[in-house]
Amino acid sequence: MKADIHPEYREVVFQDVTSDFKFLTRSTISTKETIKWEDGNEYPLVKVEISSATHPFYTGQNKVMDTSGRIDKFKRRYTK
């Protein structure tokens, strides 16, 4: 394996800026911000706009489109 070609794999805190939800995981992403975590250690901080705490699929707020009605409307309009 070649030396000095792989990024640093370290623990990083991801923070959802809309809900202030945070989780600690490992990543190679680089950032200049840091945050003090619950265990007292300081970790790099990555701010994200959507996480499992705010994504409509995971929160149950996703909307199901009425595709059958749209298909029938399309067929009525364009069939001759």
Side-chain angles (χ1 to χ4, degrees):
M1 201 157 72
K2 292 183 180 180
D4 300 328
I5 64 167
H6 299 286
E8 180 185 0
Y9 189 61
R10 62 188 177 185
E11 292 184 329
V12 176
V13 175
F14 284 87
Q15 177 184 9
D16 187 340
V17 293
T18 57
S19 69
D20 203 37
F21 174 70
K22 301 174 195 139
F23 59 95
L24 179 67
T25 187
R26 296 183 58 88
S27 178
T28 59
I29 196 165
S30 62
T31 181
K32 295 179 181 180
E33 294 183 75
T34 60
I35 190 170
K36 193 166 193 163
W37 191 242
E38 299 161 355
D39 61 2
N41 294 330
E42 197 164 311
Y43 296 103
L45 174 67
V46 178
K47 293 183 178 179
V48 293
E49 295 180 15
I50 296 178
S51 69
S52 61
T54 57
H55 193 280
F57 179 79
Y58 295 109
T59 59
Q61 296 175 351
N62 58 337
K63 297 179 182 177
V64 177
M65 298 291 289
D66 180 24
T67 57
S68 62
R70 292 175 59 194
I71 292 170
D72 292 337
K73 186 177 176 181
F74 177 83
K75 285 181 179 179
R76 276 185 273 131
R77 184 182 296 168
Y78 293 106
T79 55
K80 292 183 180 184

